[in-house]
Amino acid sequence: MQNKGQSSPLSDWLIRLVKGALIGIGGILPGLSGGVLAVIFGIYDRVLDFFSHITKDFWKNVQYFIPVGIGFIIGIVIFSFFVEKAFGAYEGLFTCLFIGFVVGTFPSLFREAGKEGREQSDWLIMGVTAVLLFLLMVMGDSFLSDVAPNLFSWVLSGALVGLGVIVPGMSPSNFLIYLGLYEPMSAGIASFDFGVIIPLAIGGIACVLLLAKLAAWLFKRYYSRMYHFILGTVIGSSIAIFPTVVLPAFSQEQLKAMNLSFLPAVGLAAVMFIGGIFFSLWFAGIESKYSTD
């Protein structure tokens, strides 16, 4: 089955459909990245090549990506239904689960970043990026968080999702949670609100088309530096979510909404955080199984 010459066209089509669905889930699941899953499933290089040279083998690539695109949409819609039910009063708990996903994916991302070696400048780039992004998210709370949902913010959200596909390791949902757009975005998708879906699609497609060629060039020329920059964004944005999103979710008012006292809520959050780590570590264990496909 792993030999493409022995698999049927239908099975290949279904495999690409499933991969697309998982990449779509990774595109909106906080802590994960659609780009990382695209790398794991052996689709990322082809995505960059297609969008950076869109006229080259156009119809052949379109036929290849049709099931991937259908799966991508299915994954986003299905997971949006889950998010609509899971968030609200339990936002702090589920955010801990999702940040656990981040921690679990970090070792594989770190190994990927060092495939071509590391220099002192790479460590500096990672550290400075993490610190600056953390400070921006924490100190900018008064003017960046809780962005009003509107046409512009949905186009921006779509662009962030597109960026998460183009830049492996970047989880756009971390930023959407911070901006207060994640839950209304998921609710809009789950309710098939085209006032949300259409600008999201426009932002995502525009971002991919505009940045694919640049991303391909940057990764080819500055592989290690680009990956350590990504690692810095993962670290900085993930840590910043704790003081900006998680801690406020354990206020007396939120604890009452969850029907929990402080210590049980913290204990449950810790369990979900650790569960997220173990899930990501398990998922990383299947990377070699799929990355050669």
Side-chain angles (χ1 to χ4, degrees):
M1 187 69 172
Q2 291 183 359
N3 186 333
K4 288 190 176 181
Q6 297 177 352
S7 57
S8 69
L10 178 59
S11 64
D12 283 342
W13 200 92
L14 291 174
I15 287 170
R16 278 179 271 142
L17 180 76
V18 172
K19 289 180 178 181
L22 292 171
I23 292 169
I25 291 172
I28 65 167
L29 176 59
L32 291 183
S33 162
V36 167
L37 297 183
V39 170
I40 289 173
F41 294 137
I43 293 177
Y44 180 75
D45 289 341
R46 191 156 184 173
V47 169
L48 279 191
D49 185 64
F50 176 43
F51 285 107
S52 59
H53 306 91
I54 199 162
T55 58
K56 179 183 175 183
D57 298 325
F58 178 77
W59 288 114
K60 181 180 178 181
N61 283 316
V62 167
Q63 290 172 5
Y64 177 87
F65 282 112
I66 282 175
V68 177
I70 294 172
F72 186 85
I73 294 170
I74 291 173
I76 288 178
V77 172
I78 289 177
F79 193 76
S80 295
F81 279 105
F82 168 77
V83 169
E84 187 181 22
K85 303 298 181 184
F87 269 62
Y90 301 98
E91 179 182 6
L93 297 180
F94 280 97
T95 299
C96 288
L97 173 68
F98 297 148
I99 298 306
F101 293 153
V102 177
V103 177
T105 59
F106 190 85
S108 60
L109 286 174
F110 188 77
R111 287 193 298 272
E112 186 73 23
K115 275 173 59 174
E116 297 185 3
R118 293 183 221 275
E119 299 178 0
Q120 288 187 345
S121 58
D122 297 326
W123 292 100
L124 181 63
I125 289 169
M126 183 177 72
V128 170
T129 302
V131 171
L132 289 179
L133 191 56
F134 174 82
L135 292 175
L136 174 66
M137 293 178 71
V138 172
M139 297 177 66
D141 181 69
S142 60
F143 61 90
L144 284 177
S145 61
D146 295 326
V147 174
N150 53 44
L151 178 65
F152 174 77
S153 63
W154 293 136
V155 172
L156 173 63
S157 299
L160 285 172
V161 173
L163 192 64
V165 173
I166 291 296
V167 183
M170 178 173 287
S171 179
S173 299
N174 285 8
F175 299 99
L176 292 174
I177 288 175
Y178 172 75
L179 294 171
L181 293 171
Y182 184 72
E183 187 180 352
M185 179 192 75
S186 300
I189 295 172
S191 62
F192 295 99
D193 182 351
F194 288 98
V196 175
I197 293 172
I198 291 175
L200 278 173
I202 291 172
I205 293 170
C207 178
V208 171
L209 289 174
L210 290 171
L211 296 182
K213 189 179 288 288
L214 175 62
W217 181 82
L218 286 172
F219 275 99
K220 183 177 180 180
R221 188 173 178 87
Y222 303 107
Y223 179 91
S224 182
R225 293 180 181 180
M226 284 296 294
Y227 256 105
H228 284 82
F229 168 77
I230 290 168
L231 287 170
T233 66
V234 171
I235 295 169
S237 63
S238 299
I239 295 175
I241 281 180
F242 281 99
T244 58
V245 177
V246 175
L247 291 182
F250 290 97
S251 65
Q252 287 298 321
E253 183 179 347
Q254 288 297 313
L255 289 171
K256 185 176 179 180
M258 289 189 288
N259 236 352
L260 292 170
S261 58
F262 180 75
L263 288 179
V266 170
L268 188 54
V271 169
M272 296 183 77
F273 177 73
I274 294 170
I277 293 174
F278 277 103
F279 175 83
S280 285
L281 290 173
W282 169 80
F283 194 85
I286 67 172
E287 177 176 354
S288 60
K289 184 176 180 180
Y290 289 98
S291 60
T292 56
D293 185 20

